Amino acid sequence: MNVKPTYAELEQEIAKLKETLHEQSRLENQCRKLVDSTSDSLYIVDGNGRYFFMNQIHAQRLNIPETGYTGLSYKDVHSPQQSEQFEARVKTVFETGIAIHDEYQHPEDGGYLLRTFSPVKDSTDPMKITAVSVVSRDITKIKKLEEALEKSEEKYRQLIEYSSEAIFIVTNGKISYANNSTQKMIGYPLEDLKLISFINLMISEDREMVFNRQKAILQGYESANHYTFRIETKEGSTIWVEADSVAIQWEGVTSTLNFMRDITKQKKTETRLLQAQKMESIGTLAGGIAHDFNNLLMGIQGHTSLSLLKLNKNDIHYEHLYEHIKTIETLVTSGANLTKQLLGFARGGKYEVKRADLNTLIEKTSKTIGRTKKEIRIHRNLEKDLWPTDVDQGQIEQVLLNLFVNAWQAMPDGGDLYIETKNILLDEDRFKAYGKRKGRYVKISVTDTGIGMDEKTKERIFEPFFTTKEMGHGTGLGLASVYGIIKNHNGFINVYSEKGKGTTFNIYLPASTPDDQKDEDRELDVAGDILCTETVLLVDDETMVLNVASDMMRTMGYTVITASDGSTAVNLYRENHQRIDLVMLDMVMPDMSGSDVFDEIKKINPQAKVLLSSGYSLNGQASRIMERGCDGFIQKPFTLDEISTLLRQILGQSRKK
Ligand code: ADP
Ligand code: MG
């Protein structure tokens, strides 16, 4: 039975409904506030684009009153083109029921909008779509920032990609980014570089150092610092590089940013320069010692010669003594040969420079070696019309012999020795590194098939006393004197060798200038037992040399006046020049040098006869004095025979008694 509700019950019901309505309107109000408080546009349209709702901000954007959208469609307030696109989106959402996003540029103000179209579903039937809600956010600022960022990124990317320095990032020990130059320098493409551990690009000796550097940089101890190391490129060649590194954050990981330059060329020049400087200073040092040592030898030689002269060889009592002293003389000669090589290296020195055909010289010297070392096959390939050169034949012979002996020693089980000569026109660029002028050169190559050399050996072979041979087998002076002699002939030498693969030495000597003919050859006369009566002024700063040489000359019959320095010599000469027939002049003296004394003497008497003597072979300074009209040169230590021959040659045979 249907019971009618009482009035009170009805009142209660009404009050409840009112409350619900009130609550709903409160909620709606809150929603409304929320929707209006956002800066995004919010609106809802039906399938025809007619507005159901729009928030305050959107109404403002469309320039219509807050509730003025009733009855309005999207196309009423937008251009046909905009509408067409909008309707297509709405249609898709209706059809698929899936939300879509688009980025949309406003055709008028150029601003950017990010729009989300979502389906609004029926509250009772979720399959039914009743409307589409659109949230549209103004992203113009972000977009502009992005564009600016892209532009500046592009700028920096270009800076980095076109940089000639290798710029790369090492993350967790691997290269995570590398510019073009890195790839060019190392030879690997980035994909490959990413797989190789950075440290493994180095040659093994340098790995630890680079590893420690990178570690210190990552730990913040160090930053940009020039450090150099060697990298092995993909083609297998080793290059020198210099790097600066800093720690950076790269994709969230602490990494190193590295800038790297190829300094191989610079390193090579530096090494060559250092090598040249080293040779220069070793030369000075060796020269100094050799010079003093040579004077000692001169003393020993002189006293030996004198003793021999005074001993009667046939006297049975002195027979043994005579032999002993003879042996001393031989030993002094060997010692002198050593110092001669050293001095040859230190100051080089050309004397007896004559026009020579190197082919003839080579044939002669190589035949000597060929005769004694039968296990070596000698192959000569000599240029037919080899340009003549102005050389000291004795010295070049020594050069060749040193090279041949080394080659022979490098081939203990025999082998082939190739000797080649060639006329060569050198252009400036190729040999600039050697500091040589362009022009005509004669090239001599000596190649053996022997044991060869490793890099370390090759770097040091021209140093005096450097040898890899056992005690007694090498002096280490061979190549040092080769170097000195060739340098002094204004030539240069280089070497190609690999361990186990033989060795080639190339020597370049300047060819003679064709018009210059100084091919006269002076024959030396042997003096024999001549009694000499001339007066000699002997000038030397070494008392020992002075004593022994004057003894020697007195023994020959000469009257000797001595001077132990340049100015005394000049004074003595000024006072006695009428009776002095010859001045024997030491070249290297403190205070007034031999060269200055020479000039003073020639001023007093232009016809004065001067014999130059030096421990050094005839070097630049001596040869200049020779050119100024000096009558002869003798290298210390000299034997009685040598000096007597030379003196007679200068003074002439006419006055012998
Ligand atoms: P030495 O022959 O007395 O050792 P050198 O100055 O002549 O001194 O040579 C120096 C070093 O150079 C040698 O000890 C050797 O190691 C190396 N060398 C020179 N020539 C050759 C060669 N033809 N083959 C291999 N090594 C060589
Ligand atoms: Mg040698």
Side-chain angles (χ1 to χ4, degrees):
M1 199 178 81
N2 205 357
V3 184
K4 258 191 177 176
T6 63
Y7 180 75
E9 278 172 337
L10 274 175
E11 263 209 328
Q12 215 176 349
E13 192 103 324
I14 288 166
K16 243 187 203 165
L17 267 173
K18 263 188 178 166
E19 202 180 315
T20 313
L21 274 175
H22 182 73
E23 178 66 9
Q24 264 180 359
S25 111
R26 202 172 60 85
L27 272 174
E28 205 186 294
N29 242 343
Q30 274 179 349
C31 282
R32 182 85 218 183
K33 267 191 194 146
L34 189 69
V35 155
D36 282 336
S37 69
T38 164
S39 59
D40 293 347
S41 287
L42 293 175
Y43 49 96
I44 300 172
V45 292
D46 68 4
N48 294 319
R50 216 175 13 219
Y51 292 110
F52 275 152
F53 168 79
M54 73 173 61
N55 67 351
Q56 218 173 338
I57 196 96
H58 194 60
Q60 274 168 21
R61 280 188 186 139
L62 292 182
N63 218 1
I64 52 178
E66 204 175 321
T67 48
Y69 57 82
T70 336
L72 268 186
S73 287
Y74 185 90
K75 61 174 178 279
D76 298 332
V77 280
H78 292 91
S79 73
Q81 204 192 344
Q82 284 172 292
S83 307
E84 196 182 317
Q85 199 194 35
F86 181 82
E87 278 160 14
R89 302 266 194 276
V90 170
K91 197 170 163 231
T92 311
V93 175
F94 264 101
E95 278 166 9
T96 61
I98 299 170
I100 51 177
H101 308 274
D102 81 351
E103 210 177 278
Y104 164 76
Q105 188 177 16
H106 203 280
E108 278 148 33
D109 60 13
Y112 287 92
L113 298 173
L114 179 68
R115 296 185 302 191
T116 306
F117 295 77
S118 312
V120 177
K121 289 170 183 166
D122 192 286
S123 55
T124 50
D125 179 4
M127 297 305 285
K128 200 173 152 203
I129 294 166
T130 55
V132 168
S133 71
V134 182
V135 180
S136 170
R137 170 169 293 183
D138 187 345
I139 53 163
T140 311
K141 259 192 196 152
I142 299 173
K143 243 351 224 191
K144 290 261 150 77
L145 267 177
E146 257 177 24
E147 273 174 11
L149 200 66
E150 239 165 57
K151 259 190 204 149
S152 92
E153 247 177 24
E154 175 62 15
K155 229 165 29 192
Y156 284 115
R157 206 184 56 78
Q158 284 190 357
L159 274 181
I160 284 168
E161 286 307 328
Y162 290 118
S163 156
S164 61
E165 286 203 354
I167 301 174
F168 58 90
I169 288 166
V170 179
T171 312
N172 293 330
K174 298 227 162 113
I175 292 185
S176 50
Y177 166 82
N179 70 345
N180 272 331
S181 294
T182 313
Q183 303 178 44
K184 251 191 249 156
M185 204 179 281
I186 309 182
Y188 293 99
L190 182 59
E191 305 81 69
D192 294 355
L193 275 177
K194 280 183 166 163
L195 302 175
I196 310 170
S197 143
F198 173 55
I199 294 298
N200 284 343
L201 290 171
M202 264 113 266
I203 66 159
S204 50
E205 292 102 300
D206 291 350
R207 284 183 194 161
E208 196 183 331
M209 182 273 290
V210 176
F211 179 80
N212 289 336
R213 284 291 166 111
Q214 291 271 323
K215 200 168 122 194
I217 291 157
L218 285 175
Q219 291 172 345
Y221 296 142
E222 292 178 31
S223 65
N225 38 14
H226 296 326
Y227 58 108
T228 53
F229 50 92
R230 284 156 292 178
I231 279 185
E232 201 159 315
T233 65
K234 193 181 180 193
E235 300 91 72
S237 58
T238 303
I239 57 167
W240 273 99
V241 293
E242 182 185 63
D244 296 323
S245 309
V246 281
I248 55 158
Q249 287 297 316
W250 182 254
E251 288 163 358
V253 186
T254 310
S255 311
T256 57
L257 168 61
N258 307 276
F259 302 85
M260 196 165 84
R261 296 162 287 282
D262 186 341
I263 53 161
T264 314
K265 245 194 205 155
Q266 189 185 327
K267 267 279 175 195
K268 278 196 177 147
T269 322
E270 241 169 52
T271 318
R272 205 151 25 214
L273 198 69
L274 271 180
Q275 180 72 4
Q277 280 169 350
K278 188 171 74 182
M279 298 297 272
E280 201 72 47
S281 50
I282 294 176
T284 313
L285 188 73
I289 296 170
H291 181 251
D292 289 353
F293 192 69
N294 216 43
N295 280 333
L296 281 174
L297 285 178
M298 178 68 229
I300 301 172
Q301 174 67 69
H303 288 295
T304 315
S305 287
L306 288 169
S307 306
L308 281 174
L309 206 68
K310 285 179 184 154
L311 274 179
N312 185 349
K313 186 155 87 176
N314 302 321
D315 188 331
I316 187 128
H317 299 294
Y318 296 123
E319 199 181 329
H320 282 310
L321 198 54
Y322 188 88
E323 285 312 313
H324 286 313
I325 298 179
K326 231 10 211 178
T327 311
I328 294 177
E329 200 173 42
T330 322
L331 290 174
V332 169
T333 311
S334 313
N337 270 336
L338 268 181
T339 48
K340 207 185 258 175
Q341 290 216 27
L342 252 189
L343 288 168
F345 163 70
R347 291 290 155 91
K350 285 183 280 184
Y351 60 112
E352 286 185 58
V353 172
K354 277 191 283 188
R355 183 140 306 176
D357 172 26
L358 290 178
N359 279 350
T360 319
L361 205 63
I362 285 170
E363 261 173 69
K364 189 176 114 196
T365 327
S366 60
K367 270 186 187 141
T368 323
I369 266 280
R371 265 198 300 276
T372 43
K373 317 288 176 211
K374 293 278 184 225
E375 66 277 24
I376 291 172
R377 289 177 298 276
I378 298 183
H379 313 265
R380 290 183 208 89
N381 180 8
L382 308 180
E383 171 109 41
K384 235 173 155 202
D385 294 308
L386 194 68
W387 292 326
T389 46
D390 293 328
V391 297
D392 179 297
Q393 300 210 19
Q395 288 193 353
I396 297 300
E397 216 166 294
Q398 195 195 332
V399 164
L400 293 169
L401 272 174
N402 287 349
L403 292 182
F404 295 160
V405 168
N406 281 345
W408 161 65
Q409 288 172 331
M411 302 187 286
D413 304 321
D416 295 282
L417 177 65
Y418 298 89
I419 308 164
E420 205 182 288
T421 53
K422 245 188 174 153
N423 293 330
I424 295 246
L425 265 176
L426 290 186
D427 53 70
E428 215 144 352
D429 290 342
R430 242 188 92 204
F431 289 89
K432 217 188 262 164
Y434 294 93
K436 289 297 158 200
R437 268 175 287 148
K438 63 175 178 182
R440 305 185 325 143
Y441 283 78
V442 170
K443 176 185 175 192
I444 309 170
S445 304
V446 178
T447 303
D448 65 58
T449 54
I451 53 172
M453 290 172 248
D454 56 23
E455 280 300 317
K456 283 234 153 67
T457 307
K458 222 160 51 180
E459 272 169 25
R460 301 193 52 196
I461 51 174
F462 295 115
E463 288 174 22
F465 305 118
F466 174 79
T467 179
T468 55
K469 291 163 194 168
E470 284 167 36
M471 261 307 241
H473 286 266
T475 57
L477 284 177
L479 289 179
S481 69
V482 167
Y483 180 90
I485 291 169
I486 297 303
K487 187 167 162 239
N488 215 54
H489 278 79
N490 284 323
F492 57 97
I493 179 167
N494 58 33
V495 58
Y496 294 94
S497 183
E498 261 179 70
K499 206 163 176 60
K501 295 202 177 140
T503 302
T504 297
F505 282 96
N506 292 316
I507 289 174
Y508 297 81
L509 287 167
S512 323
T513 18
D515 50 352
D516 145 24
Q517 301 288 339
K518 36 177 169 175
D519 206 2
E520 89 273 6
D521 198 346
R522 280 194 284 166
E523 278 292 317
L524 296 189
D525 280 344
V526 179
D529 300 307
I530 303 161
L531 188 62
C532 314
T533 55
E534 289 91 345
T535 301
V536 175
L537 170 62
L538 188 59
V539 192
D540 202 304
D541 61 313
E542 286 284 333
T543 322
M544 188 174 51
V545 174
L546 218 50
N547 288 343
V548 80
S550 54
D551 269 2
M552 285 164 103
M553 287 181 196
R554 285 191 187 111
T555 310
M556 289 182 259
Y558 293 103
T559 306
V560 183
I561 308 170
T562 59
S564 59
D565 62 74
S567 44
T568 315
V570 175
N571 288 337
L572 279 172
Y573 190 77
R574 188 171 292 118
E575 287 157 20
N576 302 294
H577 69 269
Q578 309 287 17
R579 61 189 194 94
I580 292 175
D581 300 289
L582 180 137
V583 182
M584 184 162 153
L585 185 59
D586 182 28
M587 213 190 61
V588 185
M589 290 187 294
D591 303 328
M592 199 173 178
S593 73
S595 165
D596 297 337
V597 177
F598 176 83
D599 292 340
E600 288 304 313
I601 285 173
K602 283 285 178 183
K603 263 188 226 157
I604 299 166
N605 174 17
Q607 259 72 52
K609 289 202 157 76
V610 181
L611 168 62
L612 211 56
S613 85
S614 175
Y616 295 111
S617 45
L618 195 65
N619 64 26
Q621 194 190 352
S623 59
R624 275 195 296 280
I625 306 179
M626 289 296 282
E627 278 158 21
R628 299 209 306 262
C630 191
D631 301 273
F633 175 84
I634 191 159
Q635 191 173 10
K636 293 187 272 189
F638 43 81
T639 64
L640 198 62
D641 267 356
E642 283 166 347
I643 184 68
S644 101
T645 307
L646 199 55
L647 285 175
R648 276 314 350 137
Q649 197 200 331
I650 296 169
L651 292 167
Q653 305 289 325
S654 57
R655 296 185 66 176
K656 72 179 175 189
K657 305 266 153 87

